[in-house]
Amino acid sequence: VVPSQIPTGAKLSAEMSLIIIKLKREKFKRSFLSIGASGFGSYGYGDYCTISGAEKIRIGNHSWCGKETDIFVGEKGKLTIGNNFQSTSRLCIECNTCIQIGDDVLIEPNVYIGKAEEETDNIVIEDGVWIGQNTSILTGAYIGEHSIIGAGSVVKNKIPKYSIAAGNPAKVIKIWDFNKNTWVKVNA
């Protein structure tokens, strides 16, 4: 090595920071059961994230969790997150059973996914679901594909595909009518 090629000062600090970041990412990536085919670049994580039980988590390609995300997978838990998953911030997943989150799922801030009173039921969120902010998805919840869950809802039951549900407990308020090509109000 030629002395003039040895980095010094700010350049050394920047290069060391990049090396440290790469090492942390590699360690983070290896701690999971499975991360998408693209490697670490397929999974992003924001500031102040806590992940426990990473060896029981499968994450698809191009998925992202925002800042202040907390994911806890217990001894009997298994968490599967599909491709193109995105959560904005303050997502909390508490998994002691099986939680399956499909592809193209969008989760707004302050969402809790996890246990209710009973720990025996699984949680399934199918492809293309959009979950509004300040929502709780509890054990036993099954949200069908391309459904929308309104802000502030509590879901602990089955929501059919192509539905809009809201409330505590969440109830279907609209369904997509393919013949009319529009949302149709559900009579209570």
Side-chain angles (χ1 to χ4, degrees):
V1 175
V2 179
S4 63
Q5 294 177 334
I6 297 174
T8 58
K11 185 174 180 184
L12 175 62
S13 178
E15 287 182 10
M16 288 303 291
S17 293
L18 288 175
I19 290 169
I20 290 168
I21 289 169
K22 286 179 183 178
L23 289 172
K24 284 182 179 178
R25 285 182 177 173
E26 187 59 32
K27 181 181 178 190
F28 182 77
K29 180 174 83 171
R30 281 187 273 135
S31 64
F32 286 90
L33 179 61
S34 171
I35 284 192
S38 301
F40 183 79
S42 65
Y43 180 79
Y45 61 98
D47 295 333
Y48 312 112
C49 291
T50 304
I51 298 175
S52 175
E55 67 280 359
K56 299 173 193 148
I57 301 172
R58 292 183 186 269
I59 300 173
N61 292 320
H62 312 293
S63 293
W64 172 262
C65 287
K67 67 181 179 174
E68 299 177 31
T69 293
D70 295 315
I71 300 174
F72 303 100
V73 180
E75 190 176 308
K76 298 177 183 176
K78 179 181 172 191
L79 173 62
T80 304
I81 297 174
N83 298 320
N84 304 313
F85 168 85
Q86 291 190 9
S87 71
T88 54
S89 61
R90 295 178 300 283
L91 169 66
C92 180
I93 298 176
E94 196 172 8
C95 176
N96 288 309
T97 58
C98 180
I99 297 177
Q100 295 176 301
I101 300 174
D103 297 338
D104 305 308
V105 171
L106 175 63
I107 298 180
E108 297 294 334
N110 302 321
V111 170
Y112 173 80
I113 300 173
K115 65 182 178 179
E117 299 82 33
E118 295 295 320
E119 276 291 331
T120 57
D121 293 333
N122 297 329
I123 297 173
V124 176
I125 301 171
E126 291 191 339
D127 296 346
V129 170
W130 177 17
I131 299 173
Q133 68 183 17
N134 302 320
T135 296
S136 294
I137 310 295
L138 304 177
T139 50
Y142 187 100
I143 303 173
E145 64 183 42
H146 301 289
S147 290
I148 300 169
I149 306 300
S153 297
V154 177
V155 182
K156 53 185 175 179
N157 53 343
K158 183 173 182 173
I159 304 298
K161 60 185 178 178
Y162 298 96
S163 298
I164 298 175
N168 180 6
K171 294 179 183 171
V172 176
I173 57 174
K174 291 185 179 181
I175 58 170
W176 183 256
D177 186 326
F178 286 94
N179 294 327
K180 296 178 182 176
N181 208 25
T182 190
W183 292 102
V184 177
K185 202 177 225 183
V186 173
N187 296 329

